[in-house]
Amino acid sequence: MTVSGSSVARGVAERVARESYGRLVAYLGGRLGDIASAEDALATAFLTALEKWPVDGVPDNPDAWLLTIARRRKLDDWRRHKVKAKSADHLALITEELSTAAEMDEEIADRRLALMFACAHPGIDVSARTPLILQTVLGLTAADIGARFLVSPGAMGQRLVRAKARIRDEKIPFLVPEKEELSHRLPPVLASIYAAYTSGWMDIDGAEALGQEAIWLASVVVSLLPQEPEPKGLLALMLYTEARRSSRRGPDGAFVPLDSQDVGLWDRKQLRLAEGLLREANANGPTGRYQIEAAIQSAHVARRLSGISNWQAVVSLYDVLGRIAPSPVVTLNRCVALMRIGQVDAALDDIHALARDPRMADYLPYWTARAQICADLGRHVEAAEAFTIAIGLCWSEAERRHLEEQRSKVLC
């Protein structure tokens, strides 16, 4: 033990929960073959940490400490249920392996990827695969996941419970499948990695680490499937975005929109990597969703670096994306691009059509886009109302201030 104190201990526990929860579930769940059971055991371990660490001090390796406590919880459960000798022997092997977890960082990482592909097993309901990965491997809550899929937290929670029971009851193996099977399980794995990255783009504690985790996982998938275009497209998409991270905030912490960012702050190395990956993806096979989204980001970067408007190309790319992967989000982003090329009526018609989708009621980007379009059209009352709703939905203090400034402008 090296550090004591209640506030320090709680801070470490919160950091480990943010950064390591998914890895710990992946490792323990893979050994037990039961995700829900692993989550229960880890919950007990974290509660024990909050009791013990302020008194005894924070351990040098918190992850290994938590795994040890979780393992003991499972041992106790097993004894209470009087398992057969064969199961007890198997648990003894688990105990031995978990006790050396401090020296197994790479194996834990491998098991995390294995769990991602297990969650994408064809025996799992299609609608639950990506959410299951996000919760069990990347540590997002049912509420967070529901918001990303425009589904209520309760409905998403039920979906996740059913999927975990399916894995347990059918004894779905926690293995990275053979290469010929990988491609079939790839879509939900890529979708979960991207959803994790977008969470990592948010300005909350630990979010940037989640973004870096997503980039690392995407790079591992690229190395596993070098001939598949979409993993490269996804990695390119995230690197285009990541290259702009340092320019998103001004010296005072204020939010800076893309068209006002200082391009001198952009990470040119990451941009070059993204361009190379996108070229390779386009050369490898049929065009998919992530390649198109990466191409849109490439167009935004090119416009800012060259100063030459290319919004018509962006609209065309959204047209392609709408055919490949139609969604309200694609329609919304296309509306913004339409405004930039002067197709005001078309943009407004699409915005009004989206208003009929009940999922838009709590969707921040919808209200932000609607507010900006109405402001550009001089419809200041509607713009102010939309800005007010967006402000109420916004979680980021910097972006909330930006929205308040924009609302003030239309009210002047």
Side-chain angles (χ1 to χ4, degrees):
M1 300 294 177
T2 58
V3 184
S4 61
S6 180
S7 61
V8 172
R10 181 172 293 277
V12 173
E14 291 173 354
R15 177 183 59 77
V16 173
R18 287 194 306 266
E19 297 177 4
S20 299
Y21 179 82
R23 286 190 287 269
L24 299 178
V25 168
Y27 187 78
L28 186 58
R31 296 300 187 184
L32 299 174
D34 185 345
I35 294 172
S37 180
E39 290 175 330
D40 289 344
L42 279 174
T44 298
F46 275 106
L47 287 174
T48 304
L50 291 175
E51 295 173 358
K52 298 288 188 181
W53 291 358
V55 177
D56 300 336
V58 176
D60 294 327
N61 190 328
D63 288 18
W65 190 96
L66 289 163
L67 278 175
T68 299
I69 297 301
R71 174 255 299 171
R72 289 174 182 165
R73 157 72 187 272
K74 292 314 301 172
L75 279 170
D76 291 343
D77 288 348
W78 230 292
R79 287 170 181 140
R80 278 197 298 270
H81 289 90
K82 298 180 181 179
V83 295
K84 295 179 181 179
K86 183 178 179 181
S87 295
D89 291 342
H90 180 62
L91 188 60
L93 176 62
I94 295 174
T95 302
E96 180 181 349
E97 291 172 339
L98 286 179
S99 65
T100 60
E103 302 171 2
M104 303 176 72
D105 289 342
E106 290 186 4
E107 185 175 347
I108 290 176
D110 291 343
R111 291 194 174 279
R112 186 177 25 164
L113 192 62
L115 181 54
M116 293 178 77
F117 280 100
C119 292
H121 190 279
I124 302 297
D125 186 81
V126 173
S127 66
R129 293 173 193 171
T130 298
L132 187 60
I133 294 170
L134 287 171
Q135 186 184 65
T136 60
V137 184
L138 297 168
L140 300 188
T141 66
D144 289 335
I145 299 165
R148 282 156 184 76
F149 286 84
L150 304 179
V151 173
S152 72
M156 182 56 69
Q158 291 176 358
R159 190 182 299 180
L160 291 165
V161 168
R162 289 194 297 268
K164 292 172 190 176
R166 189 77 174 266
I167 288 177
R168 180 196 64 218
D169 296 341
E170 297 191 8
K171 297 180 172 57
I172 292 174
F174 288 53
L175 300 170
V176 175
E178 297 298 324
K179 287 202 172 183
E180 55 268 22
E181 296 180 57
L182 283 173
S183 297
H184 300 298
R185 300 195 195 183
L186 197 54
V189 171
L190 296 183
S192 65
I193 290 173
Y194 187 43
Y197 181 78
T198 59
S199 296
W201 192 242
M202 298 177 181
D203 295 322
I204 54 179
D205 289 342
E208 186 173 348
L210 184 57
Q212 294 301 319
E213 183 101 336
I215 289 173
W216 179 82
L217 287 168
S219 69
V220 173
V221 176
V222 168
S223 69
L224 283 172
L225 296 166
Q227 299 306 313
E228 285 284 344
E230 277 288 76
K232 291 179 179 177
L234 173 59
L235 185 54
L237 168 60
M238 294 190 294
L239 288 174
Y240 277 124
T241 308
E242 189 66 21
R244 306 196 303 264
R245 183 180 288 276
S246 62
S247 63
R248 296 175 69 228
R249 296 288 176 265
D252 60 350
F255 173 74
V256 181
L258 174 61
D259 284 347
S260 301
Q261 289 175 7
D262 179 357
V263 298
L265 297 175
W266 289 0
D267 188 324
R268 300 305 175 92
K269 181 180 179 181
Q270 287 186 326
L271 290 177
R272 287 193 296 270
L273 286 172
E275 289 288 346
L277 285 162
L278 184 55
R279 283 195 300 270
E280 291 178 21
N282 291 338
N284 279 353
T287 299
R289 167 196 169 186
Y290 298 110
Q291 292 160 263
I292 296 299
E293 292 199 45
I296 291 170
Q297 290 303 315
S298 178
H300 287 316
V301 168
R303 183 182 67 256
R304 287 302 322 281
L305 292 177
S306 68
I308 300 173
S309 176
N310 58 3
W311 282 104
Q312 182 60 64
V314 173
V315 171
S316 298
L317 287 168
Y318 274 120
D319 288 339
V320 176
L321 185 59
R323 291 193 293 271
I324 293 175
S327 76
V329 177
V330 173
T331 301
L332 182 61
N333 290 333
R334 184 175 178 274
C335 288
V336 176
L338 285 174
M339 285 292 297
R340 299 300 187 102
I341 61 173
Q343 294 190 22
V344 177
D345 291 339
L348 200 58
D349 287 345
D350 286 345
I351 280 286
H352 286 153
L354 283 173
R356 294 193 288 271
D357 188 333
R359 296 174 297 178
M360 296 296 102
D362 297 322
Y363 190 56
L364 172 62
Y366 168 76
W367 292 105
T368 302
R370 182 181 182 120
Q372 194 58 61
I373 288 173
C374 289
D376 291 345
L377 293 174
R379 301 168 72 153
H380 293 161
V381 173
E382 291 180 57
E385 290 175 350
F387 274 127
T388 299
I389 295 173
I391 290 165
L393 294 171
C394 190
W395 42 260
S396 165
E397 180 61 31
E399 292 189 34
R400 187 183 300 113
R401 290 199 306 270
H402 175 73
L403 291 171
E404 289 170 347
E405 290 171 3
Q406 297 302 306
R407 181 178 62 179
S408 297
K409 290 178 182 178
V410 300
L411 289 174
C412 291

